[in-house]
């Protein structure tokens, strides 16, 4: 029998039921989830290259026969992905971003096409076959990729669209009592060309399978369009049902609505006074039902109106700013299999970090996720299951987006996207898909959507010229380019646009559908984008790429657990760890980048200033869309040298009570007396006054600080001493030396300080998709920089990871020691001179390190600092400085200056690919501990320009970290390492975005580090 359906470019075939809403109905249904019989074949039977991969005597489609003997098969859970089951027995996952894992030869796919055969039996109640039932529908919510269905030996049809629901009419095939269902799932098919999303390829039946009894006189589909305008809500009903279903009643008890329509002709909008609107901040829902005599549908209605007015995107008449994330459905153990408890916690975590919007990249999620989004409050861009990114390598030749043979499939995918989820208040925009070039088929998808739903705009980033979409959307536009988009007086050409098209796009709302790529340590400079959004009303924020790392929980042969990424399953081609680019790690641990984002985008913005009399005042701005600040308390505290001295709270009120959305106020705070010795800091934190469904009371929303330190004389280092003819000192206070080399501190063996310019490259340091910011004006070339190798490549070429040390001179000083060294790399002419001046002053040992690069360094440095090798039992730190999390020059907003404490493992983030981590900025004082007991105190003084060093305490050197692909590949530590950095290079987001902005780039320069050591 022909297997041509595998390469068919259409949307499916057979007894397919038209797309409709995912509804909560009281009609009978039967879940078919559970253990199914399963086998995996290496190729699709019946294809020319499959060979004889079936048991002797079995026909190509014999699996569909009711009498087929599957007793020898394995069992496999449905829903699941077969490559995540059986410890590799059924194959392994494949990760690609853009690349297709098979030749680009549409619509054909390779002979090696893993094919999963599923079978199960089930009982259907006899009552389902009475006259009260008109049809029986079999629903698949998600199957990757194309599949054929048989019921009791009868072929039902072919489904396609992995993340889209498909229903089949199985009325004629079913019988009372026992029935047999067989499904053949192919990993690869023509549909795979439409599903090249940046994620794992994970075949199988991974969402629910349900049998539904459709009652006579039932409601085939219900759509309650809602609107809101100045307290008046509207419900515009669309009910799909046979004439026999009427009369139909709409009931919304809380609003006093109870309307009965006796026929379809009577259907009419319903208006109701005193309706509270729905928004992402105040997700007000009303329970509703639509009932006929045979069936009742329950829905939760949110009243809101979405509109574009000029270049403003408005909901309920107010401009929306998206502080969003791109969210894939991914779990370290289940893949894309949905778990409601995990999904709810996922969304609660977003709310706790001030995320207010979700782009469902790049397909519709499980439908229950959208129920949760309605309930918990998110602006949602719902995206169709479409991406053909791999055709980019062919300059889009053969791209299905512009090939008439694929038109029906693409339009049908959009139809199924819209129809399934059209009742959700949270969905405020439809998206055609992602990274599929452009073409007539995308335009046809947009035209269908506009005709079907006039209440929501249409989005698609690849429509650069705005030919068929309603908003202007871009990925990773640079700061200068984003500024140009927002400005009315800019006439610069936009990407892919001529002058007229550029002008047209500047008349529309602009969103960054992807920005600040969150891969590894980073992203940096989030605040620069937020400043532009506040400056230019046309800019409506954006969606971070992305929410979660996609690591798959895996173990080595010896049982060591780690999170796998591309290449860890021996894929022929893959995109390495590019799938690990989330604001949270695979185990849901928030990254420092997420804390930075939370602070920058917080809708409660705080600012501290001093008035002319020196008294502090607090400016509070409520940048929320809807909600006032009655749920917010402002907690202030004064700390002297990190110790709490005073505290209190004030309400976030304006002149007329709680601060309304869009309002700001200036509040007086009590006078503060600065400490006579040390530093005084005033901090204010906005916290929730009461618990919410997503956060406890006292949950912080934002924080700000003001340095109130009184002018004090800085500690004075001993005056530079003249070299003497004395013998080199062996002991200077807590330090011991051997021929000028440090050998111990505070009674323990220590080596160093050694110059360090290298850091283990971050994922952004490794990126080169965007250009680099060199000597050119960063505002030219749309701010994309100039083509250049990655920072890692440049640094390695310069030998920064392999500097060698040469001692030039060691000399004795009165109560001190001077060591001059020079560092350079093999085959390199550039060098760095380092001078150490050690001086004992009473109980304190001073160290001044002068670092001076030679001329000729034409690059940015990763860091400028020194390294000390410490005993392995030095395992914690307490410090006064910026914290509590790691920080870098372009990622400082989430830090506060104060007293902090952490173990060595808490100091470093366990990124899926080891890289630079753990730097704490603006160090004043550091106390290192051994098994919790204080050991060594290090005090750091600012340099002549007031700049303070930072520190990193880690189990491995930067060089060791650079060589490891996963945390478990790091070598066993022989020492622990303390890095004291005069400066660090910024982070940027060049893994898939702009380079480190020049303000935060570390150009070679002379720096000084001044330290004081004493035993703790």
């Amino acid at each position: 029998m022909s297997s041509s359906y595998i390469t068919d470019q259409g949307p499916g075939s057979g007894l397919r039921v038209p797309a409709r809403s995912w509804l909560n109905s009281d009609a009978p249904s039967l879940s078919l989830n559970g253990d199914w019989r399963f086998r995996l074949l290496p190729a699709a039977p019946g294809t020319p290259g499959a060979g004889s991969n079936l048991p002797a005597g079995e026909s190509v489609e014999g699996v569909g026969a009711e009498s087929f003997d599957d007793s020898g098969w394995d069992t496999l859970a449905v829903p699941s992905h077969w490559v995540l089951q059986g410890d590799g027995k059924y194959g392994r996952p494949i990760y690609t971003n853009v690349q297709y894992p098979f030749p680009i030869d549409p619509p054909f796919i390779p002979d090696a096409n893993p094919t999963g055969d599923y079978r199960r039996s089930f009982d259907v109640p006899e009552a389902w076959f009475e006259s009260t039932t008109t049809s029986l529908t079999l629903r698949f919510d998600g199957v990757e990729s194309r599949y054929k269905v048989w019921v009791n030996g009868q072929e039902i049809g072919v489904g396609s669209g992995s993340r889209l629901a498909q229903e089949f009419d199985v009325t004629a095939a079913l019988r009372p009592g026992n029935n047999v269902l067989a499904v053949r799932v192919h990993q690869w098919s023509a549909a795979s060309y439409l599903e090249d999303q940046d994620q794992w390829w994970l075949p199988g039946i991974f969402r629910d399978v349900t049998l539904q009894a459709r009652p006579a006189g039932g409601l085939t589909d219900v759509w309650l369009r809602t609107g809101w305008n100045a307290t008046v809500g509207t419900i515009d009903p669309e009910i799909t049902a046979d004439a026999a279903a009427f009369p139909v009643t709409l009931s919304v008890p809380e609003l006093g609505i109870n309307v009965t329509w006796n026929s379809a002709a009577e259907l009419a909008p319903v208006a109701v006074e005193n309706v509270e609107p729905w928004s992402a901040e105040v997700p007000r829902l009303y329970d509703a039902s639509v009932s006929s005599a045979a069936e009742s549908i329950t829905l939760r209605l949110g009243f809101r109106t979405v509109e574009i007015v000029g270049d403003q995107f408005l909901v309920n008449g107010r401009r929306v700013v998206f502080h969003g994330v791109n969210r894939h459905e991914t779990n370290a153990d289940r893949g894309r299999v949905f778990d409601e408890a995990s999904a709810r916690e996922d969304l609660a975590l977003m709310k706790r970090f001030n995320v207010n919007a979700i782009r469902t990249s790049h397909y519709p999620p499980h439908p229950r996720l959208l129920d949760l989004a309605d309930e918990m409050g998110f602006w949602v861009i719902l995206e169709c299951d479409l991406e053909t990114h791999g055709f980019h390598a062919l300059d889009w030749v053969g791209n299905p987006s512009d090939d008439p043979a694929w038109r029906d499939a693409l339009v049908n995918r959009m139809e199924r996207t819209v129809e399934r989820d059209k009742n959700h208040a949270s969905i405020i925009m439809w998206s055609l898909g992602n990274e599929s070039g452009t073409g007539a088929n995308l335009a046809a998808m947009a035209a269908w959507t506009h005709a079907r739903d006039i209440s929501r705009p249409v989005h698609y980033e690849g429509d650069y010229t705005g030919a068929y979409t309603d908003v202007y959307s871009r990925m990773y536009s640079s700061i200068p380019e984003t500024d140009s988009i927002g400005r009315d007086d800019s006439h610069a050409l936009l990407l892919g646009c001529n002058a007229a098209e550029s002008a047209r796009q500047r008349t529309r709302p602009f969103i960054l559908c992807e920005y600040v790529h969150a891969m590894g340590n980073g992203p940096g400079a989030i605040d620069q984008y937020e400043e532009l959004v506040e400056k230019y009303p046309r800019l409506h924020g954006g969606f971070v790429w992305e929410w979660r790392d996609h690591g798959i929980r895996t173990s080595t042969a010896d049982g060591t657990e780690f999170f796998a990424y591309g290449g860890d399953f021996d894929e022929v081609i893959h995109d390495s760890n590019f799938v690990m680019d989330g604001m949270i790690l695979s185990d849901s641990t928030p990254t420092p980048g997420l804390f930075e984002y939370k602070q920058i985008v917080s809708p409660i913005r705080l600012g501290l200033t001093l008035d002319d009399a020196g008294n502090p005042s607090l400016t509070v701005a409520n940048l929320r869309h809807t909600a006032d600040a009655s749920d917010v308390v402002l907690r202030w505290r004064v700390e002297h040298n990190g110790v709490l001295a005073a505290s209190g709270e004030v309400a976030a009120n304006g002149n007329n009570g709680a601060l309304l959305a869009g309002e700001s106020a200036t509040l007086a705070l009590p006078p503060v007396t600065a400490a006579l010795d040390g530093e005084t800091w005033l901090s204010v934190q906005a916290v929730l006054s009461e618990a919410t469904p997503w956060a406890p009371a006292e949950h912080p929303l934002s924080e700000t600080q003001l340095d109130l330190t009184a002018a004090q004389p800085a500690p004075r280092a001993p005056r530079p001493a003249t070299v003497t003819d004395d013998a080199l000192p062996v002991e200077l206070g807590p330090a011991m030396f051997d021929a000028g080399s440090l050998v111990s501190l505070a009674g323990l063996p220590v080596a160093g300080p050694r110059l360090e310019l290298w850091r283990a490259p971050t994922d952004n340091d490794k990126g080169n998709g965007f250009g680099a910011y060199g000597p050119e004006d960063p505002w030219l070339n749309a701010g994309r920089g100039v083509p250049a190798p990655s920072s890692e490549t440049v640094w390695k070429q310069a030998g920064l990871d392999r500097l060698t040390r040469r001692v030039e001179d060691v000399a004795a000083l009165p109560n001190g020691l001077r060591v001059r060294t020079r560092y350079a790399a093999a085959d390199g002419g550039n060098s760095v001179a380092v001078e150490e001046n050690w001086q004992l002053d009473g109980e304190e040992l001073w160290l001044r390190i002068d670092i001076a690069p030679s001329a000729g360094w034409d690059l940015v440095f990763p860091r400028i600092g020194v390294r000390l090798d410490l005993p392995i039992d030095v395992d914690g730190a307490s410090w006064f400085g910026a914290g509590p999390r790691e920080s870098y020059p372009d990622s400082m907003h989430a830090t506060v200056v104060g007293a902090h404490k952490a173990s060595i493992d808490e100091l470093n983030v366990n990124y899926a690919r080891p890289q630079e981590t753990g730097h704490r900025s603006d160090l004043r004082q550091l106390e290192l501990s051994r098994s919790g007991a204080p050991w060594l105190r290090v005090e750091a003084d600012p340099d002549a320009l007031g700049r303070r060093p930072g520190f990193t305490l880690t189990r491995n050197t930067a060089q060791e970290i650079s060589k490891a692909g996963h945390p478990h590949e790091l070598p066993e530590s022989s020492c622990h390492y303390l890095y004291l950095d005069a400066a660090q290079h910024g982070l940027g987001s060049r893994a898939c975005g702009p380079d480190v902005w020049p303000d935060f780039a570390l150009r070679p320069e002379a720096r000084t580090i001044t330290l004081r050591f004493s035993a703790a």
Side-chain angles (χ1 to χ4, degrees):
M1 190 169 186
S2 172
S3 57
S4 60
Y5 70 89
I6 301 173
T7 55
D8 177 44
Q9 291 150 290
S13 59
L15 302 175
R16 299 170 66 238
V17 174
R20 63 192 186 103
S21 300
W22 194 83
L23 296 170
N24 185 19
S25 167
D26 65 357
S29 67
L30 176 67
S31 172
L32 298 182
N33 294 350
D35 287 338
W36 291 45
R37 291 289 188 178
F38 177 79
R39 73 173 177 189
L40 185 66
L41 302 172
T47 55
S52 55
N53 66 335
L54 291 172
E58 181 179 332
S59 64
V60 169
E61 295 194 343
V63 66
E66 184 177 356
S67 60
F68 184 89
D69 182 7
D70 58 23
S71 60
W73 289 11
D74 297 338
T75 58
L76 188 76
V78 170
S80 72
H81 303 281
W82 69 63
V83 292
L84 297 183
Q85 307 297 315
D87 195 24
K89 180 178 181 180
Y90 309 119
R92 292 292 194 181
I94 299 169
Y95 167 62
T96 62
N97 170 26
V98 177
Q99 306 174 89
Y100 284 109
F102 45 78
I104 307 175
D105 183 24
F108 303 107
I109 43 87
D111 292 340
N113 184 6
T115 295
D117 284 338
Y118 294 78
R119 286 173 57 90
R120 70 156 295 163
S121 60
F122 58 96
D123 290 332
V124 180
E126 187 168 348
W128 285 22
F129 294 87
E130 297 173 355
S131 59
T132 54
T133 300
T134 59
S135 65
L136 300 173
T137 301
L138 180 64
R139 181 185 182 95
F140 293 88
D141 281 310
V143 183
E144 184 174 332
S145 74
R146 187 159 288 183
Y147 54 104
K148 179 173 278 193
V149 180
W150 297 265
V151 172
N152 295 330
Q154 178 180 328
E155 182 178 318
I156 300 301
V158 173
S160 186
S162 295
R163 269 70 67 177
L164 300 168
Q166 180 62 69
E167 293 181 330
F168 296 94
D169 187 341
V170 292
T171 310
L174 286 172
R175 60 180 176 243
N178 187 257
N179 292 263
V180 176
L181 170 61
V183 184
R184 172 164 283 171
V185 181
H186 305 284
Q187 175 157 15
W188 309 123
S189 67
S192 302
Y193 286 100
L194 306 181
E195 297 172 2
D196 189 28
Q197 292 99 335
D198 177 7
Q199 61 179 350
W200 294 97
W201 298 86
L202 299 173
I205 304 174
F206 68 94
R207 286 187 186 156
D208 305 308
V209 182
T210 309
L211 183 64
Q212 302 168 320
R214 301 297 310 133
L219 305 171
T220 302
D221 200 3
V222 172
W223 184 9
L224 300 182
R225 298 180 181 90
T226 61
W228 184 86
N229 183 22
T231 77
V232 177
T234 57
I235 301 173
D236 187 2
E238 178 183 291
I239 296 174
T240 304
D242 293 337
F246 289 88
V248 170
T249 299
L250 167 66
S251 175
V252 188
E254 193 174 355
L255 295 176
I257 296 174
N258 195 69
V259 179
T260 298
W261 299 293
N262 292 307
S263 69
E266 293 183 14
L267 289 171
V270 178
V272 58
E273 300 283 347
N274 300 317
V275 170
E276 298 176 47
W278 183 97
S279 75
E281 293 165 359
V282 184
R284 182 68 163 93
L285 294 173
Y286 294 88
D287 291 329
S289 66
V290 178
S291 303
S292 69
E295 183 178 15
S296 182
I297 303 292
T298 57
L299 306 92
R300 304 195 74 193
L301 300 184
F303 292 84
R304 87 287 179 274
T305 295
V306 181
E307 57 186 338
I308 292 175
V309 179
D311 61 0
Q312 300 290 288
F313 187 99
L314 309 177
V315 176
N316 299 333
R318 289 184 59 85
R319 171 179 176 250
V320 172
V321 174
F322 299 107
H323 293 133
V325 294
N326 284 272
R327 181 189 181 274
H328 270 289
E329 289 202 311
T330 182
N331 177 273
D333 302 300
R334 300 185 306 274
R336 285 187 283 279
V337 175
F338 181 76
D339 175 75
E340 185 164 331
S342 297
R344 183 179 289 276
E345 175 52 30
D346 216 31
L347 300 194
L349 189 61
M350 291 182 190
K351 298 285 281 190
R352 293 197 291 272
F353 281 89
N354 294 327
V355 172
N356 71 1
I358 297 169
R359 176 180 175 226
T360 68
S361 52
H362 298 293
Y363 42 83
H366 190 283
R368 274 294 292 159
L369 185 93
L370 298 167
D371 291 339
L372 299 180
D374 291 345
E375 172 194 327
M376 299 176 72
F378 289 90
W379 312 117
V380 174
I381 298 179
L382 191 75
E383 198 143 84
C384 183
D385 187 11
L386 175 65
E387 182 167 336
T388 66
H389 204 172
F391 284 90
H392 180 269
L394 305 183
D395 198 25
W396 299 109
V397 173
N399 182 17
S401 297
D402 202 36
D403 183 341
W406 298 85
R407 184 186 186 281
D408 288 348
L410 267 66
V411 173
N412 179 263
R413 283 175 179 248
M414 195 66 204
E415 179 181 350
R416 289 153 69 190
T417 297
V418 171
E419 296 295 356
R420 192 195 76 169
D421 297 323
K422 55 186 178 283
N423 280 293
H424 289 283
S426 56
I427 298 172
I428 44 78
M429 218 181 313
W430 301 114
S431 179
L432 304 181
N434 186 67
E435 292 175 324
S436 297
T438 190
N441 295 337
L442 287 159
M445 294 169 71
W448 182 92
T449 307
H450 283 129
R452 182 69 177 116
D453 183 11
I454 62 172
S455 68
R456 297 177 176 101
V458 172
H459 165 273
Y460 176 65
E461 184 267 347
D463 180 25
Y464 292 137
T465 68
Y468 47 83
T469 50
D470 302 311
V471 297
Y472 183 30
S473 175
R474 286 286 308 283
M475 297 179 181
Y476 310 109
S477 59
S478 67
I479 292 298
E481 187 179 8
T482 306
D483 181 87
S484 166
I485 293 167
R487 295 171 63 97
D488 288 332
D489 60 353
S490 175
H491 302 289
L493 297 184
L494 300 176
L495 181 67
C497 295
N498 60 29
E501 291 161 343
S502 297
R504 176 170 65 191
Q505 291 294 55
R506 286 192 175 92
T507 66
R508 295 175 171 177
F510 175 76
I511 65 169
L512 284 155
C513 68
E514 296 179 19
Y515 81 129
V516 292
H517 190 263
M519 187 174 181
N521 190 345
I526 303 171
D527 57 322
Q528 291 181 298
Y529 287 97
E530 189 65 14
E531 289 169 4
L532 294 179
V533 170
E534 293 180 12
K535 184 177 182 180
Y536 301 120
R538 179 178 305 138
L539 308 184
H540 287 72
F543 296 78
V544 174
W545 187 264
E546 63 174 306
W547 173 242
R548 178 188 290 273
D549 281 2
H550 295 223
I552 293 177
R553 196 187 310 273
T554 312
S555 295
T556 63
D558 65 2
T560 302
E561 187 177 281
F562 68 100
F563 292 104
Y565 50 73
D568 287 332
F569 298 109
D570 298 323
E571 299 102 308
V572 175
I573 61 167
H574 61 85
D575 286 301
S576 188
N577 69 318
F578 207 71
V579 76
M580 310 297 254
D581 45 15
M583 282 287 203
I584 62 174
L585 304 182
S586 300
D587 63 0
S588 297
T589 300
T591 64
L594 182 57
F595 283 92
E596 179 81 354
Y597 181 79
K598 171 189 174 181
Q599 173 66 21
I600 289 169
V601 307
S602 175
I604 305 297
R605 303 289 171 89
L606 307 174
L608 284 168
T609 56
L610 294 177
D611 62 20
D612 294 339
N615 296 316
S617 62
L618 172 66
T619 300
V620 186
N622 179 5
L623 302 187
R624 291 168 166 175
H625 176 271
T626 308
D628 64 28
S630 59
D631 61 333
V632 176
V633 172
L634 304 171
R635 297 276 167 79
W636 60 266
R637 67 183 186 277
V638 177
E639 293 172 321
H640 296 320
N641 296 324
V643 178
L644 184 65
S647 63
E649 71 176 49
V650 293
N653 286 342
N655 294 328
N656 299 302
L659 208 61
L660 299 179
E663 289 188 337
S664 60
T666 300
L667 309 175
L669 295 177
V672 177
T673 302
L676 298 178
D677 181 22
E679 298 186 29
T680 299
W681 286 83
L682 170 63
S683 304
V684 179
Q685 196 174 56
V687 303
L688 292 176
S689 58
E690 297 180 357
T692 71
W694 45 268
E698 308 293 318
H699 170 75
L701 300 173
S702 62
E703 186 166 4
T704 191
Q705 276 192 314
L706 183 64
D707 186 356
L708 299 177
T709 303
Q712 301 167 18
R716 298 188 60 143
R719 299 176 65 181
T722 304
V723 171
T724 72
D725 293 329
D726 298 340
L728 295 177
V730 175
E731 183 175 354
L732 289 173
M736 300 290 291
F737 297 86
D738 181 6
S741 295
L742 179 67
V743 294
S744 76
L745 264 175
L748 295 179
V750 172
R754 173 185 174 82
L755 175 73
E756 191 62 85
L757 302 180
W758 179 253
R759 74 181 185 193
T762 66
D763 290 310
N764 291 314
D765 294 336
K766 288 174 172 283
N768 65 353
F770 272 53
Y773 294 129
E776 297 79 13
D777 182 349
W779 289 86
L780 300 177
N781 189 32
R784 296 179 68 88
V786 296
S790 70
S791 294
E792 178 194 36
T793 299
V794 172
W795 295 342
K796 283 190 171 181
Q797 288 173 346
L800 301 188
D801 59 334
R802 50 185 173 83
L803 297 177
T804 60
R805 177 176 182 258
R806 177 173 60 85
V807 178
E808 296 185 322
D809 179 58
V810 181
L813 307 173
N815 295 318
L817 179 71
R818 188 192 70 195
V819 182
R820 288 177 174 167
T821 54
R822 186 168 296 275
Y823 292 79
D827 198 35
N830 301 321
S831 63
V832 179
V834 178
E835 180 172 310
E836 305 166 30
N837 278 277
W838 298 86
Q839 292 253 256
L840 185 63
D841 183 24
E843 297 296 318
E844 290 187 324
L845 178 62
W846 288 74
L847 171 60
R848 174 185 167 116
I849 305 174
D850 293 305
I851 303 170
S854 68
W857 291 100
D858 186 19
L859 76 173
V860 295
F861 280 162
R863 71 188 334 147
I864 299 175
V866 296
R867 187 188 88 199
L868 291 169
D869 299 0
L870 310 178
I872 199 168
D873 62 352
V874 177
D875 57 3
S878 302
W879 73 99
F880 181 43
R885 283 163 291 277
E886 64 185 30
S887 55
Y888 295 83
D890 54 356
S891 183
M892 289 288 295
H893 288 267
T895 65
V896 292
V897 174
H900 309 287
K901 183 177 182 179
S903 71
I904 191 170
D905 292 322
E906 292 169 338
L907 285 167
N908 297 277
V909 179
N910 199 30
Y911 294 112
R913 185 191 67 78
Q915 57 195 277
E916 164 65 31
T917 178
H919 178 75
R920 265 67 179 179
S921 308
D922 291 343
L923 180 65
R924 278 84 164 160
Q925 180 177 299
L926 170 66
E927 186 175 270
L928 300 175
S929 59
R930 303 167 60 204
S931 303
W935 165 61
L936 180 71
R937 182 176 296 108
V938 184
E939 295 183 74
D941 293 335
D943 65 11
L945 297 178
R947 298 173 296 189
R948 296 182 180 274
F951 84 95
T952 305
L953 181 64
T954 175
R955 294 185 183 275
N956 294 95
T957 67
Q959 287 78 3
E960 290 173 336
I961 295 170
S962 303
K963 295 175 183 177
H966 303 83
H968 69 272
E969 295 168 357
L970 290 166
E972 192 72 27
S973 303
S974 58
C975 292
H976 288 171
Y977 304 93
L978 175 66
Y979 290 85
L980 295 161
D981 292 323
Q984 274 256 1
H985 185 51
L987 298 174
S989 59
R990 200 179 172 203
C992 188
D995 194 11
V996 175
W997 188 249
D999 293 3
F1000 309 110
L1002 180 57
R1003 299 296 298 184
E1005 62 180 10
R1007 298 296 293 255
T1008 296
I1009 303 174
T1010 304
L1011 306 168
R1012 290 175 279 156
F1013 296 93
S1014 59

